[in-house]
Amino acid sequence: MVGGPRVSVATPRVIETTVGTSPVTVVIGRGVLGEVAARWDAVSPGTSALVVHDANVTRVAGDVAALLDHRGTRAVRVDVPPGEPSKCFAQLERITRAAAEAGVRRSDAVVAVGGGVVGDLAGFVAAAYQRGVALVQVPTSLLAMVDSSIGGKTAIDLPEGKNYVGAIWQPRLVVMDLDVLDTLPDRELSCGFAEVVKYGLLESTDLFERVAAWPALPGDPVALADLVADCVAHKLRVVTQDERESGLRASLNLGHTVGHGIEAAGEYSRYNHGEAISLGLLAALRISERMCGLDPAWRTRTADVLRAHGLPTSLGDGIATEDVLRAMGRDKKADAHALNMVLLHAPGKVVLRQDPPHDMVVAAIEELRA
Ligand code: GLY
């Protein structure tokens, strides 16, 4: 695509593009943490780096900090308790005050080392601290690699809602070291794979077939670098065209409308994000069959691949359809609001629809119980 991301074919895979006015480089491969220091001159002219990391990935953060110290960039480390509650004002205050106390300046940079929570939180620190400093993402989960570290969405939560306070702030550099996936629990790997399946459906029959044929995770390292790179390239192609989600970017929410409803109805503990998206994808495909004529074979095959990677394909007891609808804003009180859904005619043929008939949405959720 003219003007789209430039994607290398060798490992490590390197993708370069510009989102808005921000140049973004993504490096994907095994043993590539050194790229953070090697590419630092393109990130920041400053003398310090604020390394914000999940307390569960202390070793990776230590390696990144040591590499930066070694090149003469002072690394200031701040750890964050694992889990969604860390996306809060208290952590935002703690981290920004630690940065100020350590003398981190406008010309310096924030390095986020962790999964989606740290990426969102540290990304928002970068967007807000001294009105914005450069950001580097070092995602340590498959979910963060293929999705949340790319595209510049940063946020913290309010009691009133997830991601209610945030900013779009593009990372200058994203370094994905696939070695870190070796210690990721199986459930976390599967969670990220739900987003990979999403990209297969969004991109093309070819990518879907590769995803459908994927062996046990993580799989061959070169093939995995290629797969992650193809997901990232898809997302960057979309985000470069619609950074602020005024249209096309919403397609990345395939499976997320019902998925978010299920995640919230399960009080964010019954299903993790990827598991809820697994169910949300199947509901979106069912609605696609009825509204867009999608061949039902795609839903059968999608369920097969999700199940093969340990993801749920049927909704468990104790999650009431009305709770899912309420969380989606589709209870009776909310009926006046549009429901945006991403649907498919076929893999790679995406359509955004508002307000699918209420009974069709209810039926798609109910059929998840079969
Ligand atoms: N996760 C969807 C997006 O970044 O737009």
Side-chain angles (χ1 to χ4, degrees):
M1 171 193 287
V2 178
R6 284 196 299 128
V7 186
S8 76
V9 289
T11 305
R13 300 284 302 268
V14 179
I15 303 177
E16 293 179 308
T17 193
T18 301
V19 182
T21 56
S22 313
V24 178
T25 299
V26 185
V27 183
I28 305 157
R30 282 207 169 253
V32 294
L33 275 188
E35 295 287 326
V36 176
R39 294 175 183 268
W40 195 258
D41 282 342
V43 169
S44 155
T47 54
S48 301
L50 180 72
V51 179
V52 181
H53 68 94
D54 187 305
N56 278 338
V57 293
T58 302
R59 189 195 58 75
V60 182
D63 288 352
V64 169
L67 288 159
L68 288 168
D69 280 331
H70 187 254
R71 78 174 296 284
T73 301
R74 180 181 65 126
V76 177
R77 282 173 60 177
V78 183
D79 66 1
V80 173
E84 189 73 22
S86 284
K87 285 174 56 178
C88 64
F89 278 109
Q91 290 295 338
L92 178 68
E93 178 177 5
R94 182 180 150 258
I95 297 165
T96 48
R97 292 188 67 184
E101 238 170 72
V104 174
R105 302 206 305 226
R106 172 77 185 89
S107 56
D108 296 328
V110 170
V111 184
V113 183
V117 166
V118 162
D120 278 7
L121 172 64
F124 189 47
V125 167
Y129 184 72
Q130 299 199 4
R131 300 198 187 94
V133 301
L135 173 63
V136 176
Q137 293 274 8
V138 182
T140 59
S141 69
L142 183 57
L143 179 80
M145 288 180 186
V146 295
D147 201 47
S148 58
S149 67
I150 300 293
K153 283 189 178 173
T154 75
I156 58 173
D157 302 333
L158 295 181
E160 288 78 5
K162 279 181 81 166
N163 299 325
Y164 259 40
V165 177
I168 300 277
W169 193 251
Q170 296 299 332
R172 295 213 180 143
L173 175 64
V174 187
V175 175
M176 305 185 182
D177 186 352
L178 303 177
D179 281 349
V180 305
L181 300 180
D182 291 344
T183 52
L184 206 65
D186 287 349
R187 191 174 174 202
E188 289 302 313
L189 268 179
S190 296
C191 175
F193 203 73
E195 296 283 354
V196 172
V197 174
K198 176 192 84 174
Y199 286 111
L201 290 165
L202 286 175
E203 168 75 17
S204 62
T205 305
D206 278 2
L207 185 57
F208 181 85
E209 294 299 346
R210 273 168 57 213
V211 172
W214 201 259
L217 287 163
D220 172 74
V222 175
L224 183 63
D226 287 342
L227 183 68
V228 170
D230 289 350
C231 295
V232 167
H234 178 96
K235 180 158 186 180
L236 282 172
R237 269 197 305 277
V238 169
V239 172
T240 50
Q241 293 172 73
D242 178 22
E243 185 182 15
R244 306 198 70 83
E245 200 167 315
S246 42
L248 183 65
R249 186 168 181 162
S251 68
L252 299 173
N253 296 331
L254 177 67
H256 286 60
T257 309
V258 173
H260 278 155
I262 291 172
E263 202 179 0
E267 296 183 338
Y268 298 97
S269 56
R270 176 76 180 263
Y271 295 109
N272 67 27
H273 181 72
E275 290 164 348
I277 295 317
S278 174
L279 294 163
L281 284 172
L282 295 174
L285 296 185
R286 180 67 185 116
I287 296 167
S288 299
E289 288 163 17
R290 297 183 70 183
M291 292 188 78
C292 307
L294 176 72
D295 182 340
W298 292 112
R299 183 163 55 99
T300 308
R301 297 196 60 210
T302 301
D304 288 346
V305 62
L306 293 167
R307 199 179 300 112
H309 292 283
L311 288 157
T313 54
S314 57
L315 191 57
D317 292 340
I319 304 274
T321 298
E322 67 212 47
D323 290 342
V324 178
L325 292 167
R326 188 173 305 113
M328 292 165 62
R330 296 312 293 164
D331 60 330
K332 290 195 181 57
K333 291 196 293 301
D335 269 357
H337 301 289
L339 178 69
N340 297 310
M341 281 210 72
V342 186
L343 302 176
L344 294 182
H345 291 290
K349 296 197 171 19
V350 181
V351 58
L352 303 178
R353 295 286 294 260
Q354 287 200 331
D355 265 331
H358 183 75
D359 57 352
M360 215 183 266
V361 177
V362 172
I365 297 168
E366 283 296 325
E367 284 178 42
L368 290 172
R369 300 182 192 284

